Amino acid sequence: MKQILQNELSKKIHPEIVKEILKEYEDVQNDFSTNDNIKILASSGRFVEMTLAGISYINDKILLDLNNIDVDKLYNKIKNLSRNKTGEDDLLFLEIPRVARSIYTIRSKKRGMHRKDLDAIIQDRIFIKYSVDWILSSFIFLFHTKSDKEIQGIIENIVQKKVPLIEEFEDG
């Protein structure tokens, strides 16, 4: 499936950006599965950077320095782009960036507000995991060239709830 995603997204987004989006997507999924609170914040932040770089590339066909992304500056640039006002434009230039920005806010700011006796990172991890699923699925929805049935299967595979093979119980 990764190769299909790479091929589909690379038709609109620079292949180097797509490669990074998919790498960070996989990292977020792995970090979620292993309950790695620190790594999921880092990988989701990088996913957001690559998402915004991809949207910027779609608009102006310029490959940004992927190691030097200013999320606030890039988000504001995308937010202020003039659009055709289609549903697809709204999804690409408004909705995806807003969700990405909310992930980045959690990654950057909210973690410092957690109380030692009540750590909200579990809800943050859930929000991050399903938000990156939604963003990747939205990109596929927008840019696919395969049959609707095949793309629907890919999107369902991305957003489906995955149950771990081994479950951990409190009593060991």
Side-chain angles (χ1 to χ4, degrees):
M1 185 171 82
K2 185 176 180 179
Q3 191 58 51
I4 293 171
L5 294 172
Q6 179 78 39
N7 292 342
E8 291 296 303
L9 296 180
S10 292
K11 293 173 182 166
K12 295 285 185 173
I13 303 172
H14 192 283
E16 188 175 336
I17 299 171
V18 173
K19 179 181 167 190
E20 291 298 315
I21 287 172
L22 295 177
K23 179 200 172 298
E24 297 306 329
Y25 176 80
E26 285 180 355
D27 287 351
V28 168
Q29 301 307 310
N30 290 334
D31 299 339
F32 179 81
S33 295
T34 60
N35 297 322
D36 195 322
N37 299 338
I38 302 304
K39 285 185 179 179
I40 198 168
L41 294 173
S43 56
S44 65
R46 181 77 173 152
F47 178 85
V48 167
E49 291 171 352
M50 296 304 101
T51 294
L52 296 178
I55 294 169
S56 177
Y57 181 83
I58 290 165
N59 185 65
D60 55 24
K61 302 297 186 238
I62 297 172
L63 179 61
L64 301 174
D65 177 357
L66 301 182
N67 293 312
N68 191 23
I69 302 290
D70 182 330
V71 169
D72 290 326
K73 183 178 174 182
L74 194 51
Y75 172 76
N76 287 325
K77 174 190 164 196
I78 292 167
K79 181 175 74 168
N80 294 318
L81 291 173
S82 60
R83 296 170 292 286
N84 293 330
K85 303 290 183 186
T86 66
E88 289 82 8
D89 281 349
D90 282 350
L91 180 58
L92 183 61
F93 296 112
L94 292 175
E95 296 168 23
I96 292 172
R98 285 177 181 158
V99 171
R101 184 69 186 103
S102 65
I103 294 169
Y104 205 77
T105 298
I106 287 172
R107 176 243 178 235
S108 299
K109 307 238 172 25
K110 190 174 179 197
R111 181 69 178 139
M113 295 174 22
H114 291 184
R115 299 178 358 210
K116 290 183 181 180
D117 59 334
L118 178 63
D119 190 0
I121 191 65
I122 182 103
Q123 68 204 40
D124 295 345
R125 275 197 341 262
I126 291 168
F127 175 79
I128 289 167
K129 188 257 188 270
Y130 289 107
S131 294
V132 299
D133 286 349
W134 181 84
I135 289 172
L136 186 60
S137 296
S138 295
F139 277 147
I140 293 297
F141 171 78
L142 287 170
F143 306 135
H144 75 86
T145 58
K146 298 196 172 291
S147 74
D148 287 349
K149 185 177 181 180
E150 189 173 356
I151 291 304
Q152 184 67 35
I154 291 170
I155 290 172
E156 287 173 4
N157 190 40
I158 290 170
V159 298
Q160 73 182 342
K161 182 176 181 179
K162 294 168 180 75
V163 179
L165 189 58
I166 300 173
E167 187 172 353
E168 195 174 309
F169 295 94
E170 286 182 26
D171 64 359

